[in-house]
Amino acid sequence: MANYDDEMSGYYDKLLRRNAGEPEFHQAVAEVLDSLKIVLQKDPHYNDYGLIERLCEPERQIIFRVPWVTDSGEVRVNRGFRVQFNSALGPYKGGLRFHPSVNLGIIKFLGFEQIFKNSLTGLPIGGGKGGSDFDPKGKSEQEIMRFCQSFMTELHRHIGEYRDVPAGDIGVGGREVGYLFGQYRRLSNEHESGVLTGKGLTWGGSLVRTEATGYGVVYITNEAMKHNGDSFDGAKVIVSGSGNVATYAIQKAQELGATVIGFSDSSGWVETPNGVNLELLREIKEVRRGRVDEYCKEAEGTFHSDGSIWDLSADVALPCATQNELDGDHAQKLVDNGVKYVAEGANMPSTADAIEVFRKSGTHFIPGKAANAGGVATSALEMQQNASRDSWSFDYTDERLKRIMENIFRNISDTAAEYDHEGDYVVGSNIAGFKKVADAMLAQGVI
Ligand code: NDP
């Protein structure tokens, strides 16, 4: 049987040479190429027509200047990005991230992951991602608005309902989407609701979009648990982060009877052995825009500025903060403490070493491209509502989200088994996501 190690090493070496200094992008591609070796053993035609090289090269990369003026009259210059990675299945779709760590490599890793994630949803959306190295922390409301307006002044010419549909991500929530949409509407002189998702409910937004990623992580984990005779009821759960994804993962896990024993932000983590008072956490993070230590002054919980949230002993771990927040040592600690399920709410929160530990130990590990697909899936449902000028009820939309997450679980689980890697959801997600995009690319010719 052919061995595709050399083939994949060749692609990877070339990618390293042509995309120097982009470690997150290399990491995301390496994981997928590893799974593709397994596909090629069975289906060698996926190696034809430069398919794999084309898949790893964005269709278009846009980098632009974003000048804006502070409240005190100083001019600041940030850098904006939009990477339109692959549109074989539909318009580019993926969020915008505003965070000081943003650079081209981070946007490329996120855009690359987005291709497979969007494919897994079963909906007609391609993969893209964008953002800026702008830091919203400590900025006034007016500064945020001016920045969003300047960002959209350039971005607007590259997006559209049938071309590219951005949404939120880290640092871009409902407030920012509002300012971005307002500026788009002004520049285009059209109320093109389908151009952005995550909109407000009175102007084209969808119920459940805010909750979707967090709920989706819990729905898919619940499926995996049912598959193995377990349930959230009575389980101990760690959720890292305290932003959009974490908040609604905490809510849904607690609704299903779990106790969430810890959450975090970039200042530290909070241990909550008797569960999280979600109302208070939301008040602190969403209204006061404060730090997690404030939580412990008003509710039961211990704040830690050192050590790691992954030192806690739990049945389920849901990393929902940021990339590479969980390394090999953390993973080993979780495994030693008896973790059985890990599902990634964030994009690529586990390092390659951590994933290796989970796979070797038999932990049920669901990678982000499957586990956090509920957000983009509900964005696609928002696009459907915009196209038909309709708005669906919360329960109906939530039910559709749940079905999508159940289908994703079935798809990645069946695919892993079909390729003789039963229970390996990394392989299952990469292969199932890849095949649909690859078939479309092959059908559409060398472009
Ligand atoms: P938010 O900005 O709402 O929240 C991010 C959270 O992570 C904040 O609590 C932030 O803390 C925390 N955080 C960031 N860096 C660190 C760190 N180094 N250590 C600990 N905590 C940290 O973003 P989202 O919740 O929207 O996104 C979280 C993750 O989920 C990202 O990886 C994103 O790409 C992914 N994702 C999001 C989707 C969505 O629909 N929003 C969809 C799919 C994936 P602080 O406030 O201190 O910065």
Side-chain angles (χ1 to χ4, degrees):
M1 194 177 266
N3 178 334
Y4 287 94
D5 280 353
D6 291 346
E7 209 91 10
M8 292 298 155
S9 299
Y11 292 139
Y12 188 63
D13 289 345
K14 188 168 171 194
L15 183 119
L16 290 182
R17 275 201 308 279
R18 299 182 70 235
N19 301 274
E22 298 178 353
E24 292 85 1
F25 180 48
H26 306 159
Q27 183 182 340
V29 173
E31 185 205 285
V32 170
L33 291 185
D34 204 45
S35 297
L36 294 192
K37 287 181 206 163
I38 302 164
V39 181
L40 295 186
Q41 303 281 2
K42 251 191 173 171
D43 306 310
H45 75 284
Y46 285 125
N47 202 25
D48 295 343
Y49 297 105
L51 179 77
I52 294 172
E53 254 189 284
R54 284 191 289 137
L55 188 70
C56 297
E57 180 74 18
E59 288 174 13
R60 193 172 297 106
Q61 306 181 55
I62 300 150
I63 305 181
F64 51 99
R65 179 172 67 202
V66 191
W68 57 282
V69 182
T70 65
D71 289 343
S72 55
E74 286 166 48
V75 173
R76 294 276 157 81
V77 179
N78 284 98
R79 189 169 288 173
F81 302 91
R82 187 72 185 166
V83 172
Q84 298 177 330
F85 223 118
N86 192 302
S87 59
L89 294 180
Y92 309 106
K93 180 90 197 84
L96 297 171
R97 176 177 291 191
F98 291 170
H99 193 272
S101 65
V102 163
N103 57 40
L104 182 61
I106 296 223
I107 299 298
K108 277 162 74 177
F109 118 64
L110 290 164
F112 183 72
E113 292 268 306
Q114 198 82 41
I115 304 171
F116 306 96
K117 180 188 311 192
N118 293 4
S119 163
L120 285 172
T121 66
L123 298 164
I125 39 180
K129 198 83 187 185
S132 174
D133 57 358
F134 173 73
D135 186 358
K137 281 205 190 80
K139 302 294 187 299
S140 73
E141 190 75 25
Q142 286 74 20
E143 288 174 331
I144 302 269
M145 181 172 70
R146 284 196 292 276
F147 176 81
C148 289
Q149 290 172 340
S150 180
F151 185 85
M152 185 52 85
T153 300
E154 174 57 33
L155 186 71
H156 88 283
R157 67 190 88 246
H158 306 292
I159 61 177
E161 186 180 347
Y162 299 108
R163 184 181 296 162
D164 183 356
V165 185
D169 189 71
I170 291 180
V172 179
R175 172 180 64 171
E176 290 75 17
V177 169
Y179 295 145
L180 291 163
F181 184 77
Q183 184 71 352
Y184 181 86
R185 186 167 62 74
R186 184 183 197 189
L187 291 166
S188 64
N189 193 26
E190 276 175 12
H191 191 110
E192 185 187 333
S193 25
V195 73
L196 283 171
T197 57
K199 299 182 292 295
L201 293 176
T202 55
W203 39 281
S206 172
L207 286 162
V208 192
R209 175 59 191 94
T210 308
E211 295 85 353
T213 309
Y215 279 16
V217 178
V218 173
Y219 289 150
I220 198 167
T221 310
N222 196 37
E223 261 329 274
M225 293 173 96
K226 277 201 282 187
H227 193 73
N228 294 289
D230 289 321
S231 100
F232 268 105
D233 197 16
K236 286 186 186 173
V237 180
I238 308 170
V239 178
S240 66
S242 49
N244 173 265
V245 180
T247 301
Y248 294 101
I250 294 172
Q251 186 192 69
K252 190 50 76 180
Q254 295 201 148
E255 258 176 49
L256 295 181
T259 305
V260 174
I261 59 166
F263 61 85
S264 63
D265 68 10
S266 55
S267 69
W269 55 285
V270 174
E271 196 175 346
T272 52
N274 295 314
V276 176
N277 175 340
L278 193 70
E279 213 177 308
L280 175 63
L281 180 61
R282 287 188 60 187
E283 154 76 21
I284 292 168
K285 298 305 288 188
E286 292 172 16
V287 182
R288 298 185 219 161
R289 295 189 188 267
R291 317 302 299 152
V292 289
D293 61 335
E294 285 176 40
Y295 179 91
C296 307
K297 296 176 191 143
E298 296 168 56
E300 188 192 340
T302 312
F303 175 72
H304 300 268
S305 57
D306 54 8
S308 162
I309 193 169
W310 310 119
D311 291 343
L312 291 172
S313 164
D315 306 296
V316 180
L318 305 176
C320 294
T322 194
Q323 65 270 2
N324 292 329
E325 57 167 310
L326 199 169
D327 64 21
D329 293 340
H330 297 138
Q332 194 57 55
K333 189 85 190 195
L334 282 168
V335 168
D336 292 345
N337 284 336
V339 80
K340 283 182 78 179
Y341 298 88
V342 178
E344 297 185 321
N347 284 310
M348 211 168 72
S350 316
T351 63
D353 289 350
I355 295 174
E356 198 52 31
V357 170
F358 292 138
R359 283 163 121 178
K360 280 201 173 129
S361 62
T363 307
H364 303 284
F365 174 78
I366 311 180
K369 47 174 90 69
N372 68 38
V376 73
T378 310
S379 277
L381 300 183
E382 182 174 332
M383 290 162 73
Q384 287 184 22
Q385 291 169 78
N386 295 152
S388 59
R389 306 218 179 280
D390 199 357
S391 66
W392 305 341
S393 72
F394 190 97
D395 288 349
Y396 176 75
T397 316
D398 189 31
E399 197 50 40
R400 289 202 57 174
L401 167 65
K402 202 186 284 173
R403 294 275 160 274
I404 289 170
M405 298 315 294
E406 288 166 4
N407 284 339
I408 293 177
F409 179 74
R410 207 165 309 125
N411 188 6
I412 64 174
S413 177
D414 292 351
T415 305
E418 184 190 335
Y419 284 85
D420 301 323
H421 280 68
E422 191 152 359
D424 188 334
Y425 305 132
V426 173
V427 164
S429 303
N430 286 336
I431 297 181
F434 164 79
K435 280 178 71 173
K436 204 171 144 207
V437 181
D439 290 340
M441 287 176 73
L442 288 173
Q444 292 171 23
V446 178
I447 53 167

